[in-house]
């Protein structure tokens, strides 16, 4: 079975600075992965490479067995930056639902299947109680 994401001795640079150097790992189908680290450790750079926005300068990176491509509809990405206006009552659930079909913009009309998928995901990460809170009410 092909890895969802695989890096083999990959180096990812910004300009002449190697942000990530000689990294190797694979994310297999069905795995749930978190990317954690302090500011400046390369999390965003790694995501940019996986999304096809920043090619590795050395080594090998594949996404679904192919070179990463910008705009891959098979990849969903929810950025960490939250730019919500304080009076906007957008709930966490609404924000998550808007990423369910990444090829569309705006708030979706959810089918029963979509709702069930979101609820299962929220349950899997223990976040169901947060889903109905407004994003503007959540502390960083």
């Amino acid at each position: 079975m092909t890895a969802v994401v695989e890096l083999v001795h990959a180096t990812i640079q910004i300009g002449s600075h190697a942000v990530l150097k000689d990294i190797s790992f694979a994310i297999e189908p069905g795995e749930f992965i978190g990317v954690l680290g302090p500011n400046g450790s390369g999390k965003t750079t790694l995501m940019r490479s996986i999304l096809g926005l920043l090619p590795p300068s050395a080594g090998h990176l594949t996404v679904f067995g192919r070179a990463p491509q910008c705009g891959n509809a098979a990849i969903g990405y929810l950025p960490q930056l939250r730019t919500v206006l304080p009076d906007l009552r957008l709930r966490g659930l609404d924000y998550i639902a808007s990423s369910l079909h990444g090829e569309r913009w705006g708030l979706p009309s959810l089918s029963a299947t979509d709702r069930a998928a979101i609820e299962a995901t929220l349950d899997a990460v223990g976040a169901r109680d947060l889903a109905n809170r407004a994003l503007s009410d959540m502390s960083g």
Side-chain angles (χ1 to χ4, degrees):
M1 187 174 285
T2 302
V4 174
V5 174
E6 184 174 29
L7 289 97
V8 179
H9 299 291
T11 295
I12 304 168
Q13 291 186 191
I14 295 179
S16 62
H17 175 67
V19 177
L20 299 167
K21 186 174 182 182
D22 193 31
I23 59 173
S24 297
F25 68 88
I27 301 172
E28 300 297 331
E31 289 186 312
F32 186 85
I33 303 297
V35 179
L36 307 171
N39 290 342
S41 63
K43 301 178 301 291
T44 299
T45 299
L46 175 63
M47 291 297 124
R48 289 180 67 209
S49 287
I50 292 170
L51 294 169
L53 300 172
L54 183 63
S57 59
H60 185 67
L61 167 60
T62 59
V63 177
F64 298 111
R66 298 181 180 169
Q69 1 175 196
C70 186
N72 185 340
I75 297 175
Y77 171 66
L78 186 63
Q80 74 180 25
L81 182 60
R82 187 178 66 198
T83 57
V84 177
L85 299 172
D87 294 334
L88 184 61
R89 300 307 296 173
L90 185 68
R91 300 172 302 161
L93 179 66
D94 302 319
Y95 195 65
I96 293 167
S98 71
S99 70
L100 191 60
H101 299 287
E103 73 281 2
R104 300 181 195 154
W105 291 95
L107 295 177
S109 295
L110 297 176
S111 69
T113 302
D114 290 342
R115 277 194 222 42
I118 291 169
E119 289 173 7
T121 301
L122 290 169
D123 288 341
V125 298
R128 189 184 279 249
D129 61 323
L130 295 174
N132 287 314
R133 289 177 52 194
L135 290 177
S136 59
D137 292 344
M138 296 184 193
S139 61

